[in-house]
Amino acid sequence: MAVQRNFSINQVEADEHQKLRFQVELEFVQCLANPRYLNFLAQRGYFKEQSFINYLKYLLYWKDPDYAKYLKYPQCLHFLELLQYESFRKEIMNYQCAKFIDDQQLLHWQHYQRKRMRLLQEEADRVAAQQPASSSSGVPPTMMTE
Amino acid sequence: MAAPSTRQRLLSSLDDVEIVSKELLKVLTAPTQSDDSGMDQLIQLLVQKDKEIQTTLTTAKEQGKLQRKYEALKAEVENRDQDIRQLQKSLKDVESTLSTAIYQAKAKLKAVTQANGRKISSEDLIKYAHKISASNAVAAPSTWAIGDPRRPYPTEIDMRLGILAKLGDPTISNQALQQQASFPESMNTLRPQPHLEQALNAPQPPPPQQSGLSWQHSVEMQPNNLPGHHSGLTPPTAHHPPPHFEQKHKDHEDVEIMSSDSSSSSSSDE
C-alpha cells in the first residue's frame, strides 16, 4: 500500500518533470530563431561540443506537427535545420554573418506588410486616375502618382 | 535484255514489211523476170509479217490496258500511304498529349496521397495561422518603425522572462519554477494545463539522452515510448550532470551582456 502510494507520488513527480522539460525545450528551440543568440552561442564554443550537437539533433522532434503546433516562432525550425550542418555552425561565429541574417529576417518579416501597402497604393492610384477621366469637368488630376 | 520489247518487235516487223514490200515492188516492176517462186515467197513473207504485226498490236493493246490498271493501283497505293502518314501524325500528337496528361495526373495523385497521409483540419490550420500572425511573430505590425524593439524572434527580454533563464538561477526554488511552468509564457501559444496533458499523452518527446536534469528528482526516465531515431547518442548517466545544462547557468549571466557582445570581435580560435 505504501509502495503503491510512493509509486503514484513518483508518477506525479515524473509528470511534473515532463511538463517542465517540455516547456524548457519549447523555449530553447524558439530562442534559436534569434540570430544574435546563435552568434552568442557560437562565440562561447557551444557548437563545438558533440553533446550539444547531439542535443540539436534530438530537438528535431519539434518538426513533427503534433509538437510544431505549440511553436509561436516557427522560423526557429529553419534555423534548427541549418544548425545541423557544421559549415553553418562555423559561419555563425562571425558577427557579420549573424547581422546579415538578422537584417534579412527583419526585411522578410516586413515583406507582407510592405507588399500589402504597395498593392493598396496602386489600387488607390488607379482609382484616382480613373475618377478625373470619368468626370465631365475638365479639372486636371492633382494627385501625383508614384 | 531478256526479250525485245513490244515496241521494238513492232518496229522491226514494220521494217521487215517495208523491205519485203520494196522487194515485191521491185519484182513486180521488173516484168522481164518470171521469178514466180521468188514472188510467192515474198508474198508469203509479207503475209507473215502482217500477221506478226497484228499479233504485236494486240499484245500492245493488252499491255496498254495493264499499264493503265497498274497506274490506277499505284495512285490508290499513294492515297493509302498518305492516309497512313496522317494517322501516324495524329497518333503521335495524341501520344504526347496523353503523356502530359498522365504525368500531371500522377503528380496530382502523389500530392493527394501525400496530403492524405497527414490530415489536418482546416480549422486547426486557420487557428494556428491566426495565432502566429496575431502575435506579430511572422508578419510585422503595420505600425512598425525602425526603433521598434519588437522582433520576429524571442528577444533578450523575452528570454529572461522565460523558464530557461530561471533554471540556472539557484536562488529560485523548484516550487517557484513549477509555478511558473504552469502559467502561460511569452513563447507559449496555449493555455498550459489541459493541453500539456494532451501533449504528454500524445507522442512523448523522447527522454533526452544527454539532459538528465539531475538537479531535479532522481526519477529515472522510462524509455518505453522511445521512437528509435537517436543513434550515436551516449546513454544517460544520472551521476554526472550533462554539460550543456551547466552551461545554461553561464547563459543566464551572459544573457545580460549579450547585446554588448555584438560590438566585440568574434573569437578567432577556428
Side-chain angles (χ1 to χ4, degrees), chain B residues 91-159:
Chain B
L91 271 174
K92 262 209 179 107
D93 292 338
V94 163
E95 190 197 12
S96 61
T97 331
L98 275 177
S99 63
T100 354
I102 285 178
Y103 173 73
Q104 284 174 351
K106 269 191 187 152
K108 269 217 172 99
L109 267 177
K110 193 174 152 198
V112 163
T113 44
Q114 199 180 21
N116 280 342
R118 286 182 164 267
K119 284 189 189 171
I120 297 181
S121 78
S122 55
E123 203 181 306
D124 285 342
L125 277 176
I126 293 173
K127 273 188 197 161
Y128 184 67
H130 174 72
K131 268 181 203 132
I132 56 180
S133 313
S135 58
N136 294 321
V138 289
S142 44
T143 54
W144 198 86
I146 298 219
D148 199 318
R150 289 177 286 185
R151 287 289 184 273
Y153 40 73
T155 52
E156 266 185 79
I157 303 172
D158 298 327
M159 286 194 230

Side-chain angles (χ1 to χ4, degrees), chain A residues 62-91:
Chain A
W62 284 102
K63 284 170 76 173
D64 194 64
D66 296 321
Y67 291 97
K69 63 185 179 188
Y70 298 101
L71 293 174
K72 185 174 165 186
Y73 300 102
Q75 313 90 308
C76 67
L77 291 176
H78 178 65
F79 284 102
L80 183 62
E81 277 171 28
L82 283 178
L83 280 170
Q84 305 299 319
Y85 296 103
E86 186 170 343
S87 47
F88 181 74
R89 294 197 291 265
K90 279 196 187 134
E91 273 304 307

Side-chain angles (χ1 to χ4, degrees), chain A residues 21 23 44 65 67 70 102 110, chain B residues 144 153 181 188 190 203 205 208 261:
Chain A
R21 184 159 73 84
Q23 289 223 276
R44 272 147 194 77
Y67 291 97
Y70 298 101
D102 191 27
Q110 293 160 17
Chain B
W144 198 86
Y153 40 73
N188 295 343
L190 313 168
D261 270 332

Side-chain angles (χ1 to χ4, degrees), chain B residues 45-64:
Chain B
L45 210 52
L46 191 62
V47 167
Q48 190 191 343
K49 286 299 165 190
D50 184 52
K51 274 189 190 150
E52 266 183 32
I53 288 178
Q54 294 302 324
T55 46
T56 323
L57 275 175
T58 33
T59 325
K61 250 190 214 164
E62 278 164 21
Q63 281 182 348

